[in-house]
Amino acid sequence: MRNVRVAAIQMQCAKDVATNIQTAERLVRQAAEQGAQIILLRPYFCQERQYDYYQHAQSVTDNTAIQHFKTIAKELKVVLPISFYEKDGNVLYNSIAVIDADGEVLGVYRKTHIPDDHYY
């Protein structure tokens, strides 16, 4: 049986997407240096319904972070499940894309709902 080291990163997001990607990359690199092979990257943005965030929803192919981290996953040879705000037509999803260690997106899972009540 093979041991796999897993890391989970939950970070507070800034308003600037490029800043968030830079922070996330630093944390992913740190986790990989410590031996993590699967690094869950979960920037949490949807604690409450914010209509301003709708502009950040993108398809998986257009998502800046996913495209950026495909290169990082391949370079570091790690698996990166990345939560993101997905837009498909006029519908928004709280989704997760899994990027394999070869830099390819294995698939996307649309979570049940975007949390929008006071318990989140």
Side-chain angles (χ1 to χ4, degrees), residues 21 27 61 81 92 108:
I21 290 173
L27 294 170
T61 56
L92 303 178
V108 175

Side-chain angles (χ1 to χ4, degrees), residues 47-93:
Q47 188 167 357
E48 55 191 44
R49 187 177 303 268
Q50 294 279 342
Y51 295 106
D52 293 343
Y53 292 169
Y54 286 15
Q55 66 182 332
H56 296 295
Q58 297 176 314
S59 69
V60 68
T61 56
D62 293 333
N63 186 283
T64 308
I66 292 171
Q67 297 310 311
H68 177 83
F69 281 104
K70 286 170 62 174
T71 303
I72 302 302
K74 185 174 184 175
E75 174 193 338
L76 300 176
K77 296 180 178 47
V78 296
V79 175
L80 296 174
I82 299 179
S83 289
F84 72 105
Y85 206 14
E86 182 184 10
K87 182 176 183 177
D88 184 11
N90 291 325
V91 182
L92 303 178
Y93 299 95

Side-chain angles (χ1 to χ4, degrees), residues 19-64:
T19 299
N20 293 330
I21 290 173
Q22 182 180 18
T23 300
E25 181 178 335
R26 178 179 52 78
L27 294 170
V28 164
R29 288 184 181 281
Q30 181 180 357
E33 286 172 10
Q34 294 175 6
Q37 298 154 297
I38 301 172
I39 306 167
L40 173 62
L41 187 56
R42 187 170 184 252
Y44 196 68
F45 61 88
C46 57
Q47 188 167 357
E48 55 191 44
R49 187 177 303 268
Q50 294 279 342
Y51 295 106
D52 293 343
Y53 292 169
Y54 286 15
Q55 66 182 332
H56 296 295
Q58 297 176 314
S59 69
V60 68
T61 56
D62 293 333
N63 186 283
T64 308

